[in-house]
Amino acid sequence: MTERTLSIIKPDATRRNLEGKILAKIQDAGLKVVAMKRVRWTKYQAEKFYEVHRERPFYQDLVAFMTSGPIVLMVLEGENAIARYREVMGATNPEEAAEGTIRAEFAENIEANSVHGSDSPENAAKEIAMCFDGAEIVG
């Protein structure tokens, strides 16, 4: 089934100019970029995006990290895009990530883990709508 998912290249990766290497892994996995932009989130945008984690102890640190530098937002499309991208990303903790995954190769630690990907079709739809308007998504 063709799906769409949101990808974020996080500030730790943009600071180290890893966008091209990460994009190559995404495309090598058969995923198509149908929208992409480089932005710097405000505190409000990061808080809204990560609102689901508001009560978690790491929430404020996550917001601070995600506003610390530019990020690259992408909409990826492909067969089973959500599961496929999560496989390409690797485990949240880079020490547990499989060899060859984005996080195994590029993450600095569990917080600065280089990328985000939607975890369900519902969250993908919500996250894409938060980051892109329909006219920005070109199949």
mmCIF file of all heavy atoms in Angstrom, residues 1-7 26 29-32 75-90 103 116-128:
data_model
loop_
_atom_site.group_PDB
_atom_site.id
_atom_site.type_symbol
_atom_site.label_atom_id
_atom_site.label_comp_id
_atom_site.label_asym_id
_atom_site.label_seq_id
_atom_site.Cartn_x
_atom_site.Cartn_y
_atom_site.Cartn_z
ATOM 1 N N MET A 1 0.833 -1.183 0.000
ATOM 2 C CA MET A 1 0.000 0.000 0.000
ATOM 3 C C MET A 1 0.885 1.256 0.000
ATOM 4 O O MET A 1 1.800 1.365 0.806
ATOM 5 C CB MET A 1 -0.903 -0.019 1.237
ATOM 6 C CG MET A 1 -1.685 1.252 1.427
ATOM 7 S SD MET A 1 -2.910 1.142 2.737
ATOM 8 C CE MET A 1 -1.873 1.286 4.165
ATOM 9 N N THR A 2 0.613 2.174 -0.910
ATOM 10 C CA THR A 2 1.363 3.425 -0.968
ATOM 11 C C THR A 2 0.935 4.308 0.194
ATOM 12 O O THR A 2 -0.250 4.513 0.424
ATOM 13 C CB THR A 2 1.135 4.145 -2.303
ATOM 14 O OG1 THR A 2 1.580 3.286 -3.353
ATOM 15 C CG2 THR A 2 1.909 5.445 -2.368
ATOM 16 N N GLU A 3 1.922 4.792 0.929
ATOM 17 C CA GLU A 3 1.688 5.649 2.089
ATOM 18 C C GLU A 3 2.584 6.871 2.005
ATOM 19 O O GLU A 3 3.547 6.897 1.242
ATOM 20 C CB GLU A 3 2.068 4.938 3.394
ATOM 21 C CG GLU A 3 1.246 3.790 3.791
ATOM 22 C CD GLU A 3 1.769 3.137 5.070
ATOM 23 O OE1 GLU A 3 3.014 3.060 5.277
ATOM 24 O OE2 GLU A 3 0.929 2.684 5.849
ATOM 25 N N ARG A 4 2.277 7.820 2.872
ATOM 26 C CA ARG A 4 3.146 8.976 3.088
ATOM 27 C C ARG A 4 3.520 9.028 4.559
ATOM 28 O O ARG A 4 2.747 8.649 5.423
ATOM 29 C CB ARG A 4 2.436 10.268 2.687
ATOM 30 C CG ARG A 4 2.324 10.396 1.183
ATOM 31 C CD ARG A 4 1.725 11.718 0.800
ATOM 32 N NE ARG A 4 1.776 11.882 -0.648
ATOM 33 C CZ ARG A 4 1.081 12.777 -1.313
ATOM 34 N NH1 ARG A 4 0.275 13.607 -0.670
ATOM 35 N NH2 ARG A 4 1.201 12.861 -2.623
ATOM 36 N N THR A 5 4.717 9.512 4.814
ATOM 37 C CA THR A 5 5.192 9.685 6.179
ATOM 38 C C THR A 5 6.009 10.967 6.263
ATOM 39 O O THR A 5 6.527 11.453 5.250
ATOM 40 C CB THR A 5 6.022 8.467 6.649
ATOM 41 O OG1 THR A 5 6.267 8.580 8.056
ATOM 42 C CG2 THR A 5 7.331 8.331 5.899
ATOM 43 N N LEU A 6 6.100 11.504 7.465
ATOM 44 C CA LEU A 6 6.914 12.700 7.670
ATOM 45 C C LEU A 6 8.308 12.284 8.117
ATOM 46 O O LEU A 6 8.466 11.373 8.933
ATOM 47 C CB LEU A 6 6.303 13.607 8.742
ATOM 48 C CG LEU A 6 7.089 14.909 8.939
ATOM 49 C CD1 LEU A 6 6.747 15.900 7.838
ATOM 50 C CD2 LEU A 6 6.840 15.519 10.299
ATOM 51 N N SER A 7 9.297 12.962 7.592
ATOM 52 C CA SER A 7 10.680 12.798 8.019
ATOM 53 C C SER A 7 11.207 14.158 8.455
ATOM 54 O O SER A 7 10.916 15.166 7.818
ATOM 55 C CB SER A 7 11.536 12.283 6.864
ATOM 56 O OG SER A 7 12.913 12.410 7.175
ATOM 57 N N ILE A 26 17.530 7.365 2.375
ATOM 58 C CA ILE A 26 16.075 7.366 2.203
ATOM 59 C C ILE A 26 15.719 6.944 0.782
ATOM 60 O O ILE A 26 14.878 6.070 0.566
ATOM 61 C CB ILE A 26 15.504 8.763 2.542
ATOM 62 C CG1 ILE A 26 15.613 9.030 4.051
ATOM 63 C CG2 ILE A 26 14.069 8.912 2.044
ATOM 64 C CD1 ILE A 26 15.360 10.473 4.454
ATOM 65 N N ALA A 29 16.335 3.375 -0.165
ATOM 66 C CA ALA A 29 15.328 2.463 0.390
ATOM 67 C C ALA A 29 14.049 2.447 -0.448
ATOM 68 O O ALA A 29 13.090 1.776 -0.101
ATOM 69 C CB ALA A 29 15.006 2.855 1.829
ATOM 70 N N GLY A 30 14.048 3.202 -1.553
ATOM 71 C CA GLY A 30 12.885 3.207 -2.439
ATOM 72 C C GLY A 30 11.814 4.200 -2.072
ATOM 73 O O GLY A 30 10.701 4.135 -2.597
ATOM 74 N N LEU A 31 12.138 5.130 -1.180
ATOM 75 C CA LEU A 31 11.168 6.152 -0.803
ATOM 76 C C LEU A 31 11.367 7.400 -1.661
ATOM 77 O O LEU A 31 12.501 7.785 -1.949
ATOM 78 C CB LEU A 31 11.303 6.493 0.684
ATOM 79 C CG LEU A 31 10.945 5.342 1.614
ATOM 80 C CD1 LEU A 31 11.432 5.601 3.022
ATOM 81 C CD2 LEU A 31 9.439 5.101 1.594
ATOM 82 N N LYS A 32 10.262 8.012 -2.046
ATOM 83 C CA LYS A 32 10.277 9.196 -2.905
ATOM 84 C C LYS A 32 9.980 10.435 -2.067
ATOM 85 O O LYS A 32 9.044 10.434 -1.257
ATOM 86 C CB LYS A 32 9.213 9.034 -3.993
ATOM 87 C CG LYS A 32 9.094 10.200 -4.939
ATOM 88 C CD LYS A 32 8.005 9.915 -5.963
ATOM 89 C CE LYS A 32 7.815 11.121 -6.870
ATOM 90 N NZ LYS A 32 6.725 10.890 -7.818
ATOM 91 N N VAL A 75 8.208 15.050 3.213
ATOM 92 C CA VAL A 75 7.150 14.068 3.095
ATOM 93 C C VAL A 75 7.690 12.989 2.168
ATOM 94 O O VAL A 75 8.112 13.275 1.044
ATOM 95 C CB VAL A 75 5.846 14.671 2.527
ATOM 96 C CG1 VAL A 75 4.780 13.586 2.376
ATOM 97 C CG2 VAL A 75 5.348 15.811 3.409
ATOM 98 N N LEU A 76 7.697 11.762 2.675
ATOM 99 C CA LEU A 76 8.182 10.622 1.910
ATOM 100 C C LEU A 76 6.988 9.783 1.480
ATOM 101 O O LEU A 76 6.025 9.636 2.222
ATOM 102 C CB LEU A 76 9.126 9.775 2.759
ATOM 103 C CG LEU A 76 10.277 10.509 3.443
ATOM 104 C CD1 LEU A 76 11.080 9.541 4.305
ATOM 105 C CD2 LEU A 76 11.146 11.216 2.430
ATOM 106 N N GLU A 77 7.091 9.210 0.287
ATOM 107 C CA GLU A 77 6.001 8.403 -0.252
ATOM 108 C C GLU A 77 6.561 7.095 -0.775
ATOM 109 O O GLU A 77 7.661 7.062 -1.339
ATOM 110 C CB GLU A 77 5.326 9.175 -1.384
ATOM 111 C CG GLU A 77 4.095 8.513 -1.964
ATOM 112 C CD GLU A 77 3.456 9.381 -3.031
ATOM 113 O OE1 GLU A 77 3.932 9.341 -4.181
ATOM 114 O OE2 GLU A 77 2.500 10.107 -2.702
ATOM 115 N N GLY A 78 5.792 6.023 -0.586
ATOM 116 C CA GLY A 78 6.198 4.734 -1.113
ATOM 117 C C GLY A 78 5.376 3.611 -0.525
ATOM 118 O O GLY A 78 4.524 3.837 0.339
ATOM 119 N N GLU A 79 5.655 2.405 -0.988
ATOM 120 C CA GLU A 79 4.991 1.226 -0.450
ATOM 121 C C GLU A 79 5.373 1.082 1.021
ATOM 122 O O GLU A 79 6.561 1.072 1.354
ATOM 123 C CB GLU A 79 5.423 -0.028 -1.221
ATOM 124 C CG GLU A 79 4.881 -0.105 -2.626
ATOM 125 C CD GLU A 79 3.359 -0.205 -2.666
ATOM 126 O OE1 GLU A 79 2.782 -1.034 -1.924
ATOM 127 O OE2 GLU A 79 2.752 0.560 -3.438
ATOM 128 N N ASN A 80 4.367 0.984 1.883
ATOM 129 C CA ASN A 80 4.597 0.842 3.330
ATOM 130 C C ASN A 80 5.648 1.838 3.829
ATOM 131 O O ASN A 80 6.579 1.477 4.560
ATOM 132 C CB ASN A 80 5.001 -0.588 3.667
ATOM 133 C CG ASN A 80 3.931 -1.576 3.276
ATOM 134 O OD1 ASN A 80 2.767 -1.410 3.620
ATOM 135 N ND2 ASN A 80 4.313 -2.592 2.517
ATOM 136 N N ALA A 81 5.485 3.099 3.425
ATOM 137 C CA ALA A 81 6.485 4.134 3.709
ATOM 138 C C ALA A 81 6.781 4.303 5.196
ATOM 139 O O ALA A 81 7.932 4.518 5.570
ATOM 140 C CB ALA A 81 6.034 5.471 3.116
ATOM 141 N N ILE A 82 5.771 4.179 6.031
ATOM 142 C CA ILE A 82 5.982 4.394 7.469
ATOM 143 C C ILE A 82 6.921 3.329 8.027
ATOM 144 O O ILE A 82 7.950 3.656 8.631
ATOM 145 C CB ILE A 82 4.638 4.425 8.222
ATOM 146 C CG1 ILE A 82 3.814 5.643 7.759
ATOM 147 C CG2 ILE A 82 4.853 4.462 9.738
ATOM 148 C CD1 ILE A 82 2.354 5.595 8.145
ATOM 149 N N ALA A 83 6.602 2.081 7.810
ATOM 150 C CA ALA A 83 7.443 0.989 8.317
ATOM 151 C C ALA A 83 8.810 0.984 7.647
ATOM 152 O O ALA A 83 9.832 0.771 8.311
ATOM 153 C CB ALA A 83 6.748 -0.354 8.104
ATOM 154 N N ARG A 84 8.837 1.248 6.353
ATOM 155 C CA ARG A 84 10.106 1.240 5.633
ATOM 156 C C ARG A 84 11.036 2.338 6.161
ATOM 157 O O ARG A 84 12.220 2.104 6.400
ATOM 158 C CB ARG A 84 9.878 1.425 4.135
ATOM 159 C CG ARG A 84 11.182 1.270 3.362
ATOM 160 C CD ARG A 84 11.027 1.406 1.887
ATOM 161 N NE ARG A 84 10.064 0.440 1.363
ATOM 162 C CZ ARG A 84 9.688 0.411 0.100
ATOM 163 N NH1 ARG A 84 10.190 1.267 -0.760
ATOM 164 N NH2 ARG A 84 8.821 -0.482 -0.320
ATOM 165 N N TYR A 85 10.488 3.537 6.371
ATOM 166 C CA TYR A 85 11.340 4.616 6.867
ATOM 167 C C TYR A 85 11.801 4.338 8.300
ATOM 168 O O TYR A 85 12.956 4.598 8.640
ATOM 169 C CB TYR A 85 10.644 5.971 6.766
ATOM 170 C CG TYR A 85 11.553 7.110 7.176
ATOM 171 C CD1 TYR A 85 12.844 7.220 6.661
ATOM 172 C CD2 TYR A 85 11.144 8.064 8.092
ATOM 173 C CE1 TYR A 85 13.701 8.236 7.039
ATOM 174 C CE2 TYR A 85 11.988 9.092 8.472
ATOM 175 C CZ TYR A 85 13.259 9.171 7.950
ATOM 176 O OH TYR A 85 14.105 10.187 8.334
ATOM 177 N N ARG A 86 10.935 3.785 9.119
ATOM 178 C CA ARG A 86 11.339 3.476 10.491
ATOM 179 C C ARG A 86 12.473 2.438 10.494
ATOM 180 O O ARG A 86 13.379 2.493 11.313
ATOM 181 C CB ARG A 86 10.144 3.035 11.327
ATOM 182 C CG ARG A 86 9.152 4.205 11.499
ATOM 183 C CD ARG A 86 8.039 3.934 12.441
ATOM 184 N NE ARG A 86 8.483 3.823 13.823
ATOM 185 C CZ ARG A 86 8.854 4.846 14.593
ATOM 186 N NH1 ARG A 86 8.867 6.083 14.108
ATOM 187 N NH2 ARG A 86 9.218 4.654 15.838
ATOM 188 N N GLU A 87 12.438 1.516 9.546
ATOM 189 C CA GLU A 87 13.515 0.533 9.412
ATOM 190 C C GLU A 87 14.818 1.211 8.988
ATOM 191 O O GLU A 87 15.889 0.909 9.520
ATOM 192 C CB GLU A 87 13.111 -0.527 8.386
ATOM 193 C CG GLU A 87 14.083 -1.664 8.275
ATOM 194 C CD GLU A 87 13.589 -2.727 7.306
ATOM 195 O OE1 GLU A 87 12.423 -3.149 7.423
ATOM 196 O OE2 GLU A 87 14.378 -3.117 6.429
ATOM 197 N N VAL A 88 14.732 2.146 8.050
ATOM 198 C CA VAL A 88 15.919 2.876 7.570
ATOM 199 C C VAL A 88 16.493 3.763 8.673
ATOM 200 O O VAL A 88 17.710 3.911 8.780
ATOM 201 C CB VAL A 88 15.562 3.733 6.325
ATOM 202 C CG1 VAL A 88 16.696 4.661 5.929
ATOM 203 C CG2 VAL A 88 15.183 2.845 5.167
ATOM 204 N N MET A 89 15.612 4.331 9.514
ATOM 205 C CA MET A 89 16.082 5.187 10.611
ATOM 206 C C MET A 89 16.858 4.377 11.643
ATOM 207 O O MET A 89 17.874 4.832 12.142
ATOM 208 C CB MET A 89 14.898 5.860 11.327
ATOM 209 C CG MET A 89 14.255 6.959 10.558
ATOM 210 S SD MET A 89 13.082 7.914 11.569
ATOM 211 C CE MET A 89 11.990 6.670 12.206
ATOM 212 N N GLY A 90 16.342 3.212 12.011
ATOM 213 C CA GLY A 90 16.944 2.422 13.078
ATOM 214 C C GLY A 90 16.339 2.767 14.422
ATOM 215 O O GLY A 90 15.538 3.690 14.551
ATOM 216 N N ARG A 103 20.486 6.120 12.146
ATOM 217 C CA ARG A 103 20.888 6.403 13.528
ATOM 218 C C ARG A 103 22.168 5.679 13.925
ATOM 219 O O ARG A 103 22.981 6.238 14.665
ATOM 220 C CB ARG A 103 19.743 6.081 14.474
ATOM 221 C CG ARG A 103 18.608 7.097 14.327
ATOM 222 C CD ARG A 103 17.431 6.747 15.183
ATOM 223 N NE ARG A 103 16.429 7.799 15.159
ATOM 224 C CZ ARG A 103 15.138 7.578 15.367
ATOM 225 N NH1 ARG A 103 14.709 6.332 15.611
ATOM 226 N NH2 ARG A 103 14.277 8.567 15.334
ATOM 227 N N HIS A 116 13.673 12.034 12.653
ATOM 228 C CA HIS A 116 12.359 11.672 13.188
ATOM 229 C C HIS A 116 11.557 11.090 12.045
ATOM 230 O O HIS A 116 11.673 11.536 10.901
ATOM 231 C CB HIS A 116 11.638 12.911 13.729
ATOM 232 C CG HIS A 116 10.161 12.697 13.920
ATOM 233 N ND1 HIS A 116 9.632 12.189 15.079
ATOM 234 C CD2 HIS A 116 9.108 12.893 13.084
ATOM 235 C CE1 HIS A 116 8.313 12.083 14.948
ATOM 236 N NE2 HIS A 116 7.970 12.515 13.750
ATOM 237 N N GLY A 117 10.701 10.132 12.367
ATOM 238 C CA GLY A 117 9.756 9.601 11.398
ATOM 239 C C GLY A 117 8.440 9.290 12.077
ATOM 240 O O GLY A 117 8.426 8.878 13.238
ATOM 241 N N SER A 118 7.356 9.489 11.379
ATOM 242 C CA SER A 118 6.031 9.191 11.925
ATOM 243 C C SER A 118 5.944 7.716 12.296
ATOM 244 O O SER A 118 6.537 6.863 11.647
ATOM 245 C CB SER A 118 4.951 9.515 10.888
ATOM 246 O OG SER A 118 5.061 10.845 10.452
ATOM 247 N N ASP A 119 5.148 7.419 13.343
ATOM 248 C CA ASP A 119 5.055 6.048 13.825
ATOM 249 C C ASP A 119 3.750 5.343 13.482
ATOM 250 O O ASP A 119 3.586 4.166 13.819
ATOM 251 C CB ASP A 119 5.306 5.992 15.334
ATOM 252 C CG ASP A 119 4.270 6.757 16.141
ATOM 253 O OD1 ASP A 119 3.307 7.301 15.558
ATOM 254 O OD2 ASP A 119 4.421 6.810 17.380
ATOM 255 N N SER A 120 2.821 6.039 12.824
ATOM 256 C CA SER A 120 1.541 5.420 12.458
ATOM 257 C C SER A 120 0.907 6.240 11.345
ATOM 258 O O SER A 120 1.255 7.415 11.158
ATOM 259 C CB SER A 120 0.599 5.391 13.662
ATOM 260 O OG SER A 120 0.194 6.717 13.996
ATOM 261 N N PRO A 121 -0.031 5.656 10.612
ATOM 262 C CA PRO A 121 -0.725 6.427 9.568
ATOM 263 C C PRO A 121 -1.439 7.658 10.130
ATOM 264 O O PRO A 121 -1.418 8.724 9.507
ATOM 265 C CB PRO A 121 -1.725 5.431 8.980
ATOM 266 C CG PRO A 121 -1.117 4.092 9.256
ATOM 267 C CD PRO A 121 -0.415 4.238 10.585
ATOM 268 N N GLU A 122 -2.014 7.524 11.319
ATOM 269 C CA GLU A 122 -2.712 8.652 11.940
ATOM 270 C C GLU A 122 -1.739 9.781 12.272
ATOM 271 O O GLU A 122 -2.007 10.957 11.977
ATOM 272 C CB GLU A 122 -3.447 8.205 13.213
ATOM 273 C CG GLU A 122 -4.505 7.145 12.992
ATOM 274 C CD GLU A 122 -3.947 5.729 12.783
ATOM 275 O OE1 GLU A 122 -2.826 5.417 13.248
ATOM 276 O OE2 GLU A 122 -4.648 4.935 12.108
ATOM 277 N N ASN A 123 -0.614 9.426 12.882
ATOM 278 C CA ASN A 123 0.374 10.449 13.226
ATOM 279 C C ASN A 123 1.031 11.026 11.978
ATOM 280 O O ASN A 123 1.349 12.208 11.936
ATOM 281 C CB ASN A 123 1.416 9.910 14.194
ATOM 282 C CG ASN A 123 0.881 9.844 15.606
ATOM 283 O OD1 ASN A 123 -0.082 10.527 15.951
ATOM 284 N ND2 ASN A 123 1.488 9.006 16.429
ATOM 285 N N ALA A 124 1.246 10.209 10.958
ATOM 286 C CA ALA A 124 1.817 10.715 9.710
ATOM 287 C C ALA A 124 0.919 11.795 9.125
ATOM 288 O O ALA A 124 1.396 12.874 8.751
ATOM 289 C CB ALA A 124 2.017 9.578 8.710
ATOM 290 N N ALA A 125 -0.378 11.531 9.054
ATOM 291 C CA ALA A 125 -1.315 12.514 8.503
ATOM 292 C C ALA A 125 -1.306 13.793 9.325
ATOM 293 O O ALA A 125 -1.265 14.906 8.774
ATOM 294 C CB ALA A 125 -2.717 11.923 8.437
ATOM 295 N N LYS A 126 -1.313 13.654 10.638
ATOM 296 C CA LYS A 126 -1.316 14.813 11.538
ATOM 297 C C LYS A 126 -0.021 15.615 11.399
ATOM 298 O O LYS A 126 -0.032 16.838 11.272
ATOM 299 C CB LYS A 126 -1.517 14.337 12.973
ATOM 300 C CG LYS A 126 -1.595 15.441 13.998
ATOM 301 C CD LYS A 126 -1.848 14.861 15.392
ATOM 302 C CE LYS A 126 -0.734 15.317 16.296
ATOM 303 N NZ LYS A 126 -0.685 14.681 17.579
ATOM 304 N N GLU A 127 1.104 14.923 11.418
ATOM 305 C CA GLU A 127 2.408 15.596 11.355
ATOM 306 C C GLU A 127 2.624 16.275 10.008
ATOM 307 O O GLU A 127 3.144 17.396 9.949
ATOM 308 C CB GLU A 127 3.525 14.593 11.643
ATOM 309 C CG GLU A 127 3.528 14.107 13.081
ATOM 310 C CD GLU A 127 4.555 13.018 13.361
ATOM 311 O OE1 GLU A 127 5.217 12.529 12.424
ATOM 312 O OE2 GLU A 127 4.695 12.654 14.541
ATOM 313 N N ILE A 128 2.237 15.610 8.930
ATOM 314 C CA ILE A 128 2.377 16.215 7.594
ATOM 315 C C ILE A 128 1.547 17.489 7.525
ATOM 316 O O ILE A 128 2.026 18.524 7.048
ATOM 317 C CB ILE A 128 1.996 15.207 6.492
ATOM 318 C CG1 ILE A 128 3.066 14.107 6.399
ATOM 319 C CG2 ILE A 128 1.813 15.912 5.140
ATOM 320 C CD1 ILE A 128 2.648 12.901 5.556
#
